[in-house]
Amino acid sequence: MTDYILESSAEINLYALDLDFRFIAINKNDVRMMEKYFDFTPRLGESPLDIMDGQEVEALKSNFSRAMAGESFTVLDKIEKKGEVLYWQCLYSPIYNDNSTIIGGSCVVLDVTDERKKDIENQCLSNTDPLTQVYNRRYLENAFTECIIEKVKKLP
């Protein structure tokens, strides 16, 4: 039954790593995503650290280390791959065995690219004139307020 649940949504990518950062679970959507953006077909027992570059390795190790320390948290990642800018919301959690011992970590990845791009566009529209692209009063007021706050923080 669990397999059906994990594979039922085309929007959800899920993978799990053991304490040695090796795959212990991968759903089909995550396999497709890894093949498309990382040119890698994940297999149980292999490590994603072997195919990623330096910055990606550090981020993955850092996030999974937090999960493997018992923390559940969410991160919004900006991914630039193959000429595309993607935004992925990643939900990390520890995996416990029957004795309540942490045996790994899981990551659920949701592609929120469309929503994030709309948010960025709306933010841009709220701070600039749509015709001239010049910053508007709201932007200038916010910038001025931030400047004052920074100056106040530096006062003795």
Side-chain angles (χ1 to χ4, degrees):
M1 183 59 106
T2 304
D3 288 340
Y4 296 121
I5 295 169
L6 295 177
E7 299 295 344
S8 64
S9 175
E11 304 299 317
I12 296 175
N13 301 314
L14 172 95
Y15 65 102
L17 304 178
D18 65 16
L19 296 176
D20 294 321
F21 300 96
R22 294 177 307 216
F23 288 111
I24 55 175
I26 316 159
N27 76 349
K28 290 176 187 170
N29 293 327
D30 196 63
V31 171
R32 282 191 290 273
M33 186 257 311
M34 293 287 272
E35 289 173 341
K36 181 176 181 178
Y37 294 109
F38 295 95
D39 297 320
F40 170 71
T41 302
R43 290 177 175 53
L44 297 178
E46 294 180 347
S47 175
L49 304 180
D50 295 337
I51 57 97
M52 299 175 128
D53 61 28
Q55 193 173 18
E56 292 169 336
V57 167
E58 292 307 314
L60 187 74
K61 283 176 83 172
S62 173
N63 289 333
F64 268 95
S65 293
R66 285 175 61 188
M68 292 172 190
E71 184 179 353
S72 294
F73 61 97
T74 302
V75 174
L76 179 64
D77 283 336
K78 179 181 178 182
I79 310 291
E80 296 180 37
K81 287 287 185 188
K82 298 188 176 187
E84 291 185 63
V85 177
L86 306 163
Y87 295 93
W88 293 341
Q89 186 172 357
C90 303
L91 298 89
Y92 292 91
S93 298
I95 300 172
Y96 296 92
N97 66 10
D98 292 337
N99 298 324
S100 298
T101 302
I102 295 174
I103 59 169
S106 67
C107 181
V108 176
V109 181
L110 303 172
D111 185 349
V112 294
T113 301
D114 292 340
E115 294 86 351
R116 182 66 183 132
K117 285 182 177 178
K118 287 176 187 170
D119 288 345
I120 291 169
E121 182 180 337
N122 287 338
Q123 185 178 20
C124 185
L125 286 172
S126 72
N127 288 322
T128 59
D129 179 87
L131 181 62
T132 64
Q133 298 300 309
V134 174
Y135 290 119
N136 63 18
R137 180 178 177 163
R138 173 184 283 164
Y139 175 84
L140 295 174
E141 286 175 349
N142 289 340
F144 182 72
T145 301
E146 287 178 30
C147 186
I148 290 175
I149 290 170
E150 289 301 314
K151 293 285 185 190
V152 169
K153 285 181 182 178
K154 293 179 182 178
L155 291 176

